């Protein structure tokens, strides 16, 4: 600190910082990108290891062998599902009761804010059926959950069949120390949300569920949950899905457990649908790992639940989805093998003495056997955040400099603070009001929009959002004139200083909760916001700003994601996907409480508008 | 002085359950017509049937009545009906001390430590933070109508694991040990291969033909076998299948030794072999039941093979069980680590009778109850308890105690809710496995439930033991105690690992760094010129007068 309290050295340091500000920022930005890309390079990452003692040292034997029974149950379930045109409640209740479970049902109904065109639903009515295997000699305090969805069409029948077969097998075992809940949920996440809210007796998404209280309610603290998706009789590989709501991830030990059993049983396992490669030292090997990691970053950044497990994470229940994939390989595995894998995982979870807490909660996975922990990836974000702070420091010094150099009067030094408050406050307030409009209006104005334009409700919502977003660009750059007349040089500097610090805080907080989202936003927002001044060529910089605005970030993410999953799309298709992503984002917020849409609409977009304001400062 | 006679009875009741499971309940009763607490009498040192280890403890600590139970598992009232003697998961201990005891807390502490040694259990973890003095829920079951609850202590250890190490000392208290009589069936590998296991010791003074006071020691052991895991899915039971033993003789010291099988649902439900001509009727828990009785003191019971093996075979699918009239459950609502809400739900399944119940809740201090949020609702209407006894907790000293008398409307569900906040413990107060969660003991619902049939109020010697434990005071109702599930609550827990230390350290560094930086950034620094020497000042003074530029 002595360095800074000595005015001479302090001056030298600030001079250095202001003089070298632009190069330092550039170096930081490049370093951040390089650091981030380096995370996928195998020698820089750690090998995964099981941290939890209770799961590591205890060996379990897998003996599940009723694969045939699972398949015949799946066929039966399919037939009854078709007959009932939805969840075959009666059949399922009987089937579970016959296997010695205590069976309960929960019916729910829900009206979406606007029709979901991807899944074609608006008024949702459904029933969850769940059976409980009571652990012998256990006091009903802990439980594990295994879920399988009741999906329309042909999918996921085998998952339900396997679930029932496992229930039957598990029921005859004596070693259970935790109750096991077998849940078949209807309408995927909506059913899951209904079940979880009923279970925890809360109502957090603010929507009334019709049949709220579960009859015969019992309380356990759920230790872990596994969600099963299986649509074919044989599979070639199993995919593990970890990303949950708001980018939450389960404890890494759950992924390790899955990987350990895949290794033990010789099952091919993938993450993000990508197999692991061993040739890390070749370019292809590295690209493969980088793609896997990028996919994880994109999936996590979008903040939605990528499987039925995603909603459990909010309740501090470690959960993952396991999806069976039937590809074009020769080597196929039957249902009994998957059953054995699940048996092994559940038995090890059954051995847990404490909740899973030993391993990491914040990580990125370039492959199933390698992980990047928070300590390794945070510097990449830190380097980006430092740019904002450096620019802010530069501005601060700039703003303070005339005051220091002023010899003859106090008037000049006090000048910026006078109009400063007002010039800064007006654009800030107006930008945020635009953000509030973007958050509230699309859903609330849909009826009006449908009346006046020939569009469906969903289109109305999305197009209103796009319209408000675009209208926001036209609005604020004239605002400060309204109040204070001519914008001063001091004025925009104060505004930019505020905006920079605001953005730094916003991105910092976001990155702490959801690193991927924070990083993706920082990569696109930082360069343009750091360099923005009113003195740049208007048309060119306006174009650059728009191209790096949050909405375009989403658009790029859509394209990159499609590229990474090897399903590239044309511009037109990309645009349609972009629109559906927006509608899904709004729906996720309304249905499950995903926070990405409000974050973007209420904070990031207004913050970006403030910079837009600076560009048109006059 | 003539040694006082005592008597010993043993009994096994087998109740086939509707679910296909089977409930076996052992009861052993040792009676002793002496009063070793009586003052003036010389110290009793000659014990015959009554276990000396317990007798000495009773007289040393002036215990009036002692009830201790160890239970592994949860009694599923909705599937199994009411048990003969209920008990909560884990260990439960309640003791009435003699009213001459001056230092009840001291006696209680010593007693728990001694019992801990006798039963090989962690009863020594009972201290003031989990002991309460219920004002109404636990009345003495034996002689003496003590009402001053200062002499009562009640504690539960919901986390206690019960295993063979607790069974062995319990068996040693029996006069025949596990050598003869019904106790030979108690092989731990089978008893612990079950859905529910509970063993208990109840000691109380009773009235022996009402001429003199006698001490009664009842040892009970209840076990439920599951037909999926123990019965290989077949609804067919025998003594051998349950216990991997058959009976060959009664305990020679026993005055009566009987096996009862509940055949009230016979012949629709199951068939029983060997058949017995002896039938007995008893009114148990408000219901008239019929029992087949096998008297082990008679040689013909054992037949030609000199061994007695009961066989029960289910004939078809059993119908639905009558719902138990009183039923309770409890859960924690909400999520997150800051607040929560305890819900206790009590069901009255009686179609037309309302009856009052006493609800007792003992909640550890680290759940800070907001008692002003206490609500009692039945049929979505406010239900005002007619009696509330609430003792707030003291941090680290005393748990919350909440007792309420609630009238349950007929055929209704009554919900009691209270909100709480989770306390932040000191770091030494966490258990070695803090992420497992912290237990809150079962709440206790005690009630006099209206009976379907008239209860017999006379207390006779030849009544079966299982129907004579709780004294019946009136014909129209019977006493039931229902325990809810214990709760497992997560408290805010630090990481307790290396990253935790790193976070603490980093936060400190950031705090210190932030302070200095803030200081530096908000303050302007100026070079403080050292004051010029006197000569220079004088020179400057003269120059100022002359109007010449000053010296630097």
């Amino acid at each position: 600190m002595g360095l800074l309290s000595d005015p001479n050295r302090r001056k030298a340091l600030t001079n250095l910082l202001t003089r070298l500000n632009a190069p330092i920022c550039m170096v930081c930005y490049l370093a951040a990108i390089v650091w981030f890309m380096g995370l996928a390079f195998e020698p820089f990452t750690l090998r995964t290891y099981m941290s939890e003692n209770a799961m590591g040292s205890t060996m379990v034997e897998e003996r599940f062998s009723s694969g045939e029974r699972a398949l015949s149950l799946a066929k039966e379930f399919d037939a009854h599902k078709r007959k009932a045109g939805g969840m075959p409640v009666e059949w399922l209740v009987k089937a579970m009761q016959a296997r010695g479970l205590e069976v309960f049902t929960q019916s729910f109904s829900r009206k979406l804010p606007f029709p979901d065109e991807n899944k074609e639903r608006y008024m949702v009515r459904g029933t969850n059926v769940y059976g409980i295997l009571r652990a012998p000699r256990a006091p009903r305090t802990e439980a594990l959950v295994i879920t399988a969805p009741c999906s329309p069409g042909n999918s996921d029948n085998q998952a339900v069949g396997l679930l029932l077969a496992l229930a039957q097998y598990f029921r005859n075992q004596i070693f259970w120390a935790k109750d096991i809940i077998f849940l078949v949920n209807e309408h995927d996440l909506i059913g899951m949300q209904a079940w979880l809210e009923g279970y925890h007796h809360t109502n957090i998404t603010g929507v009334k569920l019709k049949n709220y209280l579960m009859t015969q309610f019992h309380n356990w603290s759920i230790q872990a949950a596994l969600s099963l998706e299986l649509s074919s009789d044989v599979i070639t590989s199993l995919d593990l899905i970890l990303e949950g709501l708001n980018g939450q991830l389960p404890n890494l030990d759950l992924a390790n457990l899955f990987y350990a059993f895949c290794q033990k049983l010789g099952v091919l396992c993938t993450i993000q649908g990508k197999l692991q490669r061993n040739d890390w030292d070749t370019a292809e090997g590295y690209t493969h790992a980088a793609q896997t990691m990028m996919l994880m970053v994109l999936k996590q950044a979008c903040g939605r639940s990528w499987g039925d497990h995603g909603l459990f994470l909010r309740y501090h229940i470690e959960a993952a989805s396991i999806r069976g994939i039937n590809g074009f390989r020769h080597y196929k595995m039957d249902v009994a093998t998957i059953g054995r894998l699940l048996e092994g995982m559940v038995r090890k979870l059954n051995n847990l003495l404490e909740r899973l807490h030993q391993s990491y909660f914040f990580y990125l996975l370039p492959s199933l056997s390698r992980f990047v922990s928070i300590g390794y990836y945070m510097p990449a974000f830190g380097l980006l955040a430092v740019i904002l702070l450096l620019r802010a420091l530069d501005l601060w010094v700039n703003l303070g400099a005339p005051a220091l150099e002023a010899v003859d009067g106090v008037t000049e030094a006090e000048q910026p603070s006078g109009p400063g408050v007002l010039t800064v406050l007006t654009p800030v307030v107006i930008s945020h009001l635009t953000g509030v409009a973007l958050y509230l209006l699309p859903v609330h104005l849909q009826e009006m929009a449908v009346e006046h334009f020939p569009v469906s409700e969903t289109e109305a919502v999305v197009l209103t959002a796009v319209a408000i977003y675009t209208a926001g660009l036209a609005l604020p750059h004239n605002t400060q004139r309204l109040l204070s007349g001519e914008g001063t040089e001091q004025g925009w500097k104060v505004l930019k200083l505020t905006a920079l610090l605001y953005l730094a805080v916003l991105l910092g907080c976001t990155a702490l909760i959801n690193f991927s989202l924070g990083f993706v936003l920082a990569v696109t927002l930082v360069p343009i916001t750091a360099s923005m001044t009113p003195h740049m060529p208007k048309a060119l910089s306006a174009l650059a700003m728009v191209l790096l605005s949050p909405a375009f970030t989403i658009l790029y993410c859509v394209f990159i994601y499609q590229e990474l999953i090897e399903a590239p799309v044309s511009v037109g298709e990309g645009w349609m996907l972009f629109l559906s992503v927006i509608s899904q984002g709004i729906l996720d917020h309304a249905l499950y409480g995903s926070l990405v849409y409000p974050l973007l609409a209420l904070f990031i977009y207004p913050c970006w508008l403030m910079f837009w304001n600076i560009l048109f400062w006059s | 002085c003539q040694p006082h006679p005592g008597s010993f009875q043993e009994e096994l009741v087998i109740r086939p359950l509707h679910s296909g499971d089977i409930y076996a309940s052992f009861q052993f009763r040792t009676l002793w017509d002496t009063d070793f607490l009586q003052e003036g009498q010389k110290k009793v040192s000659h014990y015959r049937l009554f276990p000396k280890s317990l007798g000495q403890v009773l007289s040393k600590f002036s215990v009036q009545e002692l009830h201790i139970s160890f239970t592994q598992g949860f009694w599923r009232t909705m599937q199994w009906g009411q048990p003969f003697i209920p008990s909560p998961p884990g260990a439960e201990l309640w003791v009435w001390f003699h009213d001459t005891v001056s230092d009840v807390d001291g006696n209680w502490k010593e007693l728990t430590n001694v019992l801990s040694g006798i039963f090989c259990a962690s009863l020594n973890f009972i201290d003031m933070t989990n002991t309460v003095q219920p004002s109404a829920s636990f009345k003495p079951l034996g002689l003496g109508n003590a009402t001053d609850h200062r002499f009562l202590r009640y504690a539960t250890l919901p986390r206690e694991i019960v295993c063979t190490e607790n069974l062995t000392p319990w068996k040693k208290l029996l006069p025949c040990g596990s050598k003869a009589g019904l106790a030979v069936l108690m092989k731990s590998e089978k008893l612990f291969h079950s859905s529910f296991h509970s063993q208990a010791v109840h000691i109380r003074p009773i009235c022996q033909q009402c001429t003199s006071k006698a001490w009664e020691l009842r040892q009970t052991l209840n076990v439920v076998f599951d037909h999926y895991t123990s019965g290989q899915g077949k609804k067919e039971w025998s003594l051998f299948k349950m216990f991997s033993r058959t009976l060959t003789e009664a305990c020679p010291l026993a005055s009566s030794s009987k096996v009862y099988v509940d055949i009230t649902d016979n012949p629709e439900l199951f068939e029983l072999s060997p058949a017995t001509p002896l039938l007995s009727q008893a009114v148990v828990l408000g219901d008239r039941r019929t029992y087949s009785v096998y008297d082990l003191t008679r040689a013909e019971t054992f037949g030609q093979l000199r061994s007695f093996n009961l066989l029960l075979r289910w004939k078809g699918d059993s119908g639905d069980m009558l719902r138990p009239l009183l039923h309770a459950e409890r859960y924690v609502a909400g999520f997150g680590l800051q607040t929560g809400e305890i819900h206790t739900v009590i069901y009255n399944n009686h179609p037309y009778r309302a009856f009052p119940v006493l609800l007792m809740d003992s909640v550890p201090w680290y759940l800070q109850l907001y008692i002003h949020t206490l609500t009692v609702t039945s049929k979505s209407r406010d239900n005002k308890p007619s009696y509330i006894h609430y003792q707030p907790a003291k941090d680290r000293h005393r748990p919350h105690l909440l007792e309420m008398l609630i009238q349950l409307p007929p055929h209704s569900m009554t919900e009691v809710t209270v909100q709480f906040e989770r306390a932040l413990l000191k770091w030494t107060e966490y258990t070695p496995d803090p992420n497992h969660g912290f237990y809150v003991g079962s709440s206790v619902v005690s009630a006099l439930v209206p009976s379907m049939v008239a209860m017999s109020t006379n207390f006779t010697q030849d009544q079966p033991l299982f129907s004579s434990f709780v004294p019946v005071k009136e014909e129209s109702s019977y006493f039931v105690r229902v325990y809810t599930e214990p709760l497992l609550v997560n408290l805010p827990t630090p990481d307790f690992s290396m990253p935790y230390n790193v976070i603490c350290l980093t936060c400190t560094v950031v705090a210190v760094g932030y302070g200095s930086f803030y200081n530096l950034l908000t303050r302007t620094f100026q070079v403080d010129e050292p004051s010029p020497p006197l000569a220079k000042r004088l020179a400057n003074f003269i120059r100022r007068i002359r109007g010449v530029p000053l010296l630097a």
Side-chain angles (χ1 to χ4, degrees), chain A residues 1 4-8 10 97-102 134-142 170-174 199-202 204 213-219 221 223 314-316 352-355 357 393 396 404, chain B residues 72-74 76 78-79 89 191-197 226 228-229 323 327 329-335 337 343 347 413 415 432-436 439 485-488 490 495 516-517 520-521 523-527:
Chain A
M1 294 301 126
L4 285 177
S5 50
D6 177 352
N8 292 326
R10 181 180 161 130
Q97 266 166 355
R99 280 158 186 82
L101 306 182
E102 274 179 54
R134 297 275 181 218
R137 285 170 290 109
R140 290 192 178 181
T141 46
E142 294 169 289
F170 284 179
R171 182 64 180 84
N172 293 326
Q173 311 305 318
I174 191 76
Y199 187 92
H200 290 92
H201 211 273
T202 52
I204 33 174
L213 190 78
M214 292 185 182
T215 50
Q216 285 298 307
F217 209 93
H218 303 289
N219 183 72
S221 79
Q223 307 286 305
R314 174 191 285 149
Y315 302 90
H316 194 1
L352 279 182
L353 295 174
E354 301 179 67
R355 281 169 180 279
H357 69 284
L393 194 69
W396 177 252
L404 280 178
Chain B
Q72 184 73 8
F74 182 75
R76 305 169 197 170
M78 288 309 281
Q79 287 149 40
L191 287 184
F192 291 102
H193 199 281
S194 58
S195 298
F196 176 83
H197 171 96
D226 180 53
Y228 283 94
T229 52
R323 303 185 88 189
H327 172 55
E329 54 197 38
R330 189 161 66 142
Y331 60 91
V332 176
F335 65 99
L337 290 176
H343 288 239
Y347 298 87
M413 185 188 97
E415 193 167 20
D433 51 354
N435 283 290
H436 178 69
Y439 283 86
E485 308 73 347
L487 301 177
L488 183 62
N490 276 291
D495 193 355
S516 336
F517 261 107
L520 285 169
L521 286 171
R523 201 175 284 184
T524 50
F525 291 89
Q526 275 171 352
V527 182

